[in-house]
Amino acid sequence: MRGDYQQLVDEISAALGAPATLEDRDFGLIAFGAHEGEDDEVMDPVRTRSILQRRSSAAVRAWFEAFGIARATTALRIPPDPAAGVFRGRICLPVRHQGIAHGYVWLLDDGHLSDLALGGHGTPPDPRIAQAMETAARIGALLAAESRAGTELGDLLRELLLTEPAGRLAAAAALRDALRDTLRFTSGVPLTVVAVAPWDTSDTGAAPLPSLPGLLAACALRAGDLPGSAAAGPALAALVRLRSTGALTPAHTVAEHLLRSPRAGAAAAAGPHPARPGPGAAGIGIGVRELTDLPAAWREALDAARAARAEPRLGPIVQWDAIGSYRMLTALPATDPDPAIGPLLTPAHAELARTAEVFLDCAGQAGRTAQALGIHRQTLYYRLGRVEKLTGLDLDDGEHRLLLHMALKAARL
């Protein structure tokens, strides 16, 4: 499928004599044509960033959409704007199918495209533009077909992840047959699930997910579809093919791309815990070989995503086997904080809560804790004394330490 897109983009580049780039409706890069010439300005920063990062930024997207490209049915001319990093003007060919915008073809104007008649308002377009728009329509049909196939696979993946154990054999068989017919999937291939949370599900007409190496299917799940998902909010489940059950690099690559989507983290809301990190995170379950094991991998991936959102040091992407104590905490039902630590969770005592947690993370070693917090040891001892008075816990008692440590971690979730 990727080769088909590249061939069609090359056709447009050849017809108009200008480098072309194809992006989906979310401005994710699909294919691009090489340019020839000595002028470095042809590769302006916006195009360079799009190619290297496989996606344009939200600011660039907003700037181009202000020209009405999402509603356009004919080619549009976009003027240069060096202040926005757009050193060359562009011609945008909307990629549509049955009235739905699926993406855009961008052509850098190196000067000779300026005189082309783009059509519109009763004026016929230049024959070369008309030919390019016909090719863009063929791209739109391919993207629409890919979206339909992806939707069907996503529906079957969702059914499997949400089916009770008694019905998983049938649900797994249906997904396996669809993957085989669509992607030539064979049984026994190593797989895992990536969870991106939260994920914006409000735009039902959103562009299909990018075609990434290893990404077989994806579906959005509402908060509450599975235990623990209410805390994570609506999430995306992505099925990824691996080289082996222990080689999760393809899953990390897919997670990185999905986190760049404007839908990743869009549903996030600021949480009550003072250490809550940025809006989006991705978790990766362990590798499996049986489709019936995917629900377990999904729960692991979702738990890892929840842990990554709660614990900034884990990073935005984390494997389930690397979340430490959160492997146990995310499996527990949501409950109110333990009464002992209630006072520490108020904004007025946020610094004391952080001090206590870092102290316990450092195994109670005062020197390491003071260094990590950047404070003097006497300041640390003073704060720990206040923690003991507020909670009624004795930090010299192992059981009390364990209670405080786990309660603080659980409060993040």
Side-chain angles (χ1 to χ4, degrees), residues 321-381:
D321 58 3
I323 63 175
S325 60
Y326 287 104
R327 288 164 60 167
M328 296 184 63
L329 293 173
T330 52
L332 299 176
T335 59
D336 293 332
D338 187 279
I341 72 158
L344 286 180
L345 299 183
T346 62
H349 296 132
E351 192 60 42
L352 291 181
R354 177 170 176 263
T355 298
E357 189 171 0
V358 173
F359 174 70
L360 295 168
D361 286 344
C362 292
Q365 297 181 26
R368 286 177 56 198
T369 306
Q371 184 177 11
L373 293 172
I375 60 176
H376 194 275
R377 281 199 185 197
Q378 291 304 318
T379 303
L380 171 64
Y381 295 141

Side-chain angles (χ1 to χ4, degrees), residues 2-3 5-13 18-23 28-35 43 47-55 104-106 108 139:
R2 295 294 99 176
Y5 292 129
Q6 187 63 59
Q7 180 178 348
L8 292 172
V9 167
D10 290 342
E11 283 185 19
I12 294 176
S13 295
T21 302
L22 171 62
E23 294 180 330
L29 182 67
I30 297 175
F32 64 93
H35 70 85
M43 289 293 289
R47 186 173 193 262
T48 301
R49 191 179 304 113
S50 172
I51 292 173
L52 293 180
Q53 298 183 0
R54 312 296 294 183
R55 180 173 298 279
Y104 310 99
V105 172
W106 303 96
L108 286 177
I139 294 174

Side-chain angles (χ1 to χ4, degrees), residues 74 116-127 129-130:
T74 59
L116 282 176
L118 302 187
H121 304 293
T123 304
D126 184 286
I129 289 291

Side-chain angles (χ1 to χ4, degrees), residues 250-268:
H252 281 270
T253 301
V254 168
E256 289 171 2
H257 282 277
L258 292 177
L259 281 177
R260 296 190 193 116
S261 169
R263 284 178 277 172

Side-chain angles (χ1 to χ4, degrees), residues 3-314:
D4 294 336
Y5 292 129
Q6 187 63 59
Q7 180 178 348
L8 292 172
V9 167
D10 290 342
E11 283 185 19
I12 294 176
S13 295
L16 295 176
T21 302
L22 171 62
E23 294 180 330
D24 63 28
R25 206 185 79 172
D26 281 341
F27 281 57
L29 182 67
I30 297 175
F32 64 93
H35 70 85
E36 297 179 359
E38 301 298 328
D39 191 350
D40 289 339
E41 286 187 339
V42 171
M43 289 293 289
D44 65 10
V46 168
R47 186 173 193 262
T48 301
R49 191 179 304 113
S50 172
I51 292 173
L52 293 180
Q53 298 183 0
R54 312 296 294 183
R55 180 173 298 279
S56 295
S57 68
V60 168
R61 173 180 177 174
W63 189 84
F64 281 117
E65 286 181 339
F67 290 92
I69 60 174
R71 302 181 302 275
T73 57
T74 59
L76 291 178
R77 198 183 306 278
I78 310 294
D81 184 351
V86 182
F87 292 161
R88 293 293 192 184
R90 282 162 168 74
I91 290 177
C92 175
L93 308 180
V95 175
R96 307 181 74 89
H97 182 73
Q98 296 182 347
I100 298 175
H102 288 275
Y104 310 99
V105 172
W106 303 96
L107 293 133
L108 286 177
D109 185 2
D110 60 0
H112 78 280
L113 296 180
S114 301
D115 298 329
L116 282 176
L118 302 187
H121 304 293
T123 304
D126 184 286
R128 290 170 293 174
I129 289 291
Q131 178 185 347
M133 285 299 297
E134 290 177 2
T135 304
R138 290 160 59 194
I139 294 174
L142 283 176
L143 285 173
E146 185 176 333
S147 179
R148 286 193 299 271
T151 298
E152 293 171 1
L153 290 173
D155 289 343
L156 291 170
L157 175 62
R158 182 185 297 106
E159 181 178 353
L160 173 59
L161 297 183
L162 300 181
T163 297
E164 295 297 325
R168 283 179 189 164
L169 282 176
L175 177 58
R176 180 177 60 249
D177 292 345
L179 288 170
R180 181 193 61 213
D181 296 341
T182 306
L183 302 172
R184 299 179 181 177
F185 176 81
T186 57
S187 298
V189 171
L191 302 166
T192 194
V193 180
V194 171
V196 180
W199 186 265
D200 183 11
T201 59
S202 62
D203 186 2
T204 57
L209 290 170
S211 179
L212 301 171
L215 179 58
L216 301 179
C219 64
L221 293 104
R222 301 182 302 274
D225 279 339
L226 285 173
S229 62
L236 181 81
L239 179 61
V240 181
R241 178 170 47 205
L242 306 173
R243 298 182 185 90
S244 69
T245 54
L248 297 175
T249 300
H252 281 270
T253 301
V254 168
E256 289 171 2
H257 282 277
L258 292 177
L259 281 177
R260 296 190 193 116
S261 169
R263 284 178 277 172
H273 198 284
R276 191 175 184 86
I284 301 172
I286 62 172
V288 300
R289 289 187 179 273
E290 299 297 333
L291 292 178
T292 51
D293 292 331
L294 289 179
W298 160 245
R299 287 177 174 82
E300 293 168 351
L302 187 63
D303 288 348
R306 290 179 60 202
R309 294 187 66 210
E311 190 68 77
R313 64 180 175 81
L314 293 175

